[in-house]
């Protein structure tokens, strides 16, 4: 936590210096006059570095090279008439240094925020049930079931399960709203593993998709109609034990799609359709399953 505090303080101090550097007068003359696009580019670089996981997952040198190249392109494309001698080269170097320092601080804050969120998740959230397997690591099992269903012309259903975001209500401060909302959603998704495990059949396979905060249940020898009762049991248990609503969308092979990815997309679309169809004030008392 102390590292996150330090990195945020460093970023705030940098922003204060960056946006007030032109106020510094030396002997009544302001010699630092940054071009306007540098402020816009610097702010955009900080925001994008904080928001996009791509920059957090790469080395700092990648982010600095990326934004340094953008600065150079804008500088040469729109300000090529300015000479690279005297005060101009000094200002260009000052602009580039300020930009790269901002990227450095934003990159560190992004890493510290991610580490903090992961630490809270690891400490506070229960271990994922062993019956729940990551979707990305289960491709062989999925393809085996798909091939078996095609070869023997047997039905198979895919059920997408996700918490209704309108039922996950938090009264929190705006400055930490996104982090806490993300952790709360992750907590609900993880808690759903126990609910699903209690009502699942031995032949069902359940896969976790953390990037979408949802589960995917693959039910061999089951058509869409027979999956409705399974979805209703999950919804009732989630509402009773967790106090949240669950969105469920069902797609079946071969009626709705012929590949596993297409089945997921179809089931996910049907689940999201419930979210649009139900008004916020009615979500706590309405249970829908889209088939």
């Amino acid at each position: 936590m102390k590292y996150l505090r330090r990195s945020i303080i460093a970023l705030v101090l940098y922003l204060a210096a960056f946006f007030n550097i032109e106020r510094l007068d030396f002997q009544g003359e302001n010699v630092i006059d940054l071009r306007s696009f540098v402020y816009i580019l610097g702010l955009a670089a900080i925001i994008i570095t904080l928001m996009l996981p791509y920059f957090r997952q790469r080395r700092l040198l990648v982010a600095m090279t990326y934004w340094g190249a953008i600065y150079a392109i804008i500088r040469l494309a729109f300000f090529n008439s300015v000479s690279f001698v005297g005060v101009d080269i000094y200002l260009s170097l000052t602009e580039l240094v300020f930009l790269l320092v901002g990227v450095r601080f934003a990159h560190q804050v992004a890493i510290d925020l991610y580490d903090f969120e992961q630490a809270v998740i690891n400490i506070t959230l229960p271990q994922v049930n062993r019956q729940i397997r990551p979707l990305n690591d289960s491709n062989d099992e999925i393809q085996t079931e798909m091939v078996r269903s095609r070869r023997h012309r047997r039905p198979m259903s895919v059920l997408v399960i996700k918490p209704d975001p309108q039922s996950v209500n938090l009264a929190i401060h705006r400055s930490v709203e996104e982090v806490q909302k993300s952790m709360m959603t992750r907590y609900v998704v993880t808690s759903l593993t126990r609910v699903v495990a209690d009502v699942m059949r031995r032949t069902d396979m359940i896969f976790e998709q953390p990037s979408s905060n949802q589960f995917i249940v693959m039910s061999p020898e089951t058509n869409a109609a027979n999956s409705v009762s399974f979805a209703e049991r999950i919804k009732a248990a989630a509402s009773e034990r967790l106090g949240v609503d669950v969105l469920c969308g069902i797609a079946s092979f071969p009626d709705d799609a012929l590949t596993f990815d297409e089945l997921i997309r179809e089931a996910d679309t049907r689940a999201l359709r419930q979210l649009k169809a139900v008004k916020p004030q009615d979500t706590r008392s309405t249970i829908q399953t889209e088939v």
Side-chain angles (χ1 to χ4, degrees):
M1 185 65 181
K2 64 180 180 180
Y3 298 106
L4 176 60
R5 186 186 303 114
R6 291 173 182 174
S7 60
I8 292 177
I9 291 175
L11 180 59
V12 171
L13 292 176
Y14 158 79
L15 290 173
F18 180 53
F19 285 100
N20 290 277
I21 189 65
E22 294 186 4
R23 295 178 180 270
L24 299 178
D25 298 332
F26 298 93
Q27 297 179 352
E29 181 181 358
N30 184 9
V31 297
I32 302 179
D33 187 14
L34 305 183
R35 282 171 277 260
S36 299
F37 85 91
V38 178
Y39 294 104
I40 300 175
L41 181 61
L43 188 60
I46 291 173
I47 294 175
I48 294 176
T49 302
L50 289 172
M51 292 183 60
L52 295 185
Y54 174 85
F55 291 105
R56 186 197 70 236
Q57 296 167 356
R58 267 65 178 182
R59 290 186 175 183
L60 174 62
L61 182 60
V62 174
M64 296 180 72
T65 302
Y66 178 85
W67 291 108
I70 292 180
Y71 168 82
I73 292 172
I74 297 176
R75 172 69 174 78
L76 295 175
F78 298 98
F79 300 93
N80 53 1
S81 60
V82 183
S83 61
F84 285 92
V85 295
V87 176
D88 184 65
I89 187 64
Y90 162 76
L91 289 178
S92 297
L93 290 176
T94 301
E95 291 171 348
L96 183 59
V97 169
F98 265 101
L99 176 64
L100 297 183
V101 170
V103 172
R104 162 69 177 84
F105 287 138
H107 185 267
Q108 188 61 49
V109 171
I111 292 176
D112 291 341
L113 281 173
Y114 177 78
D115 291 342
F116 172 71
E117 183 174 349
Q118 292 302 309
V120 172
I121 290 174
N122 293 334
I123 292 173
T124 60
L125 299 186
Q127 293 295 322
V128 176
N129 192 292
R130 292 184 179 181
Q131 294 174 297
I132 313 297
R133 288 161 284 185
L135 179 64
N136 296 335
D137 300 335
S138 306
N139 187 61
D140 290 341
E141 298 174 82
I142 292 171
Q143 294 306 319
T144 298
E145 291 298 330
M146 292 296 300
V147 170
R148 190 174 68 86
S149 295
R150 289 194 185 99
R151 180 176 300 170
H152 300 287
R153 297 184 179 181
R154 302 299 300 170
M156 183 189 66
S157 295
V158 169
L159 172 64
V160 171
I161 306 169
K162 63 177 70 182
D164 185 348
Q166 295 175 343
S167 67
V168 184
N169 298 318
L170 299 175
I172 52 181
H173 196 274
R174 292 178 60 88
S175 62
V176 293
E177 180 176 357
E178 290 300 324
V179 175
Q180 289 191 342
K181 186 65 179 265
S182 176
M183 289 190 295
M184 185 61 182
T185 301
R186 179 59 183 166
Y187 171 80
V188 172
V189 171
T190 305
S191 299
L192 275 175
T193 60
R194 292 174 294 180
V195 174
V196 175
D198 289 343
V199 299
M200 67 177 290
R201 302 175 304 177
R202 294 181 62 88
T203 56
D204 293 331
M205 291 185 291
I206 308 178
F207 308 103
E208 182 188 20
Q209 197 173 23
S211 59
S212 301
N213 287 323
Q214 64 186 24
F215 290 101
I216 298 166
V217 180
M218 189 176 187
S219 301
E221 302 292 333
T222 306
N223 56 32
N226 293 333
S227 294
V228 173
S229 60
F230 177 53
E232 295 298 333
R233 291 198 303 271
I234 292 176
K235 289 183 174 184
S239 178
E240 178 182 353
R241 294 168 55 179
L242 302 179
V244 297
D245 295 330
V246 173
L247 303 175
C248 293
I250 301 172
S252 64
F253 170 90
D255 297 333
D256 299 315
L258 299 178
T259 67
F260 185 73
D261 290 339
E262 291 175 350
L263 287 170
I264 292 179
R265 283 195 292 270
E266 180 64 23
D268 190 40
T269 300
R270 293 177 175 180
L272 293 176
R273 195 178 301 158
Q274 301 171 38
L275 183 60
K276 297 178 181 179
V278 181
K279 296 181 180 180
Q281 62 267 29
D282 298 333
T283 56
R284 299 297 300 160
S285 59
T286 304
I287 294 180
Q288 295 184 347
T289 302
E290 184 80 18
V291 179

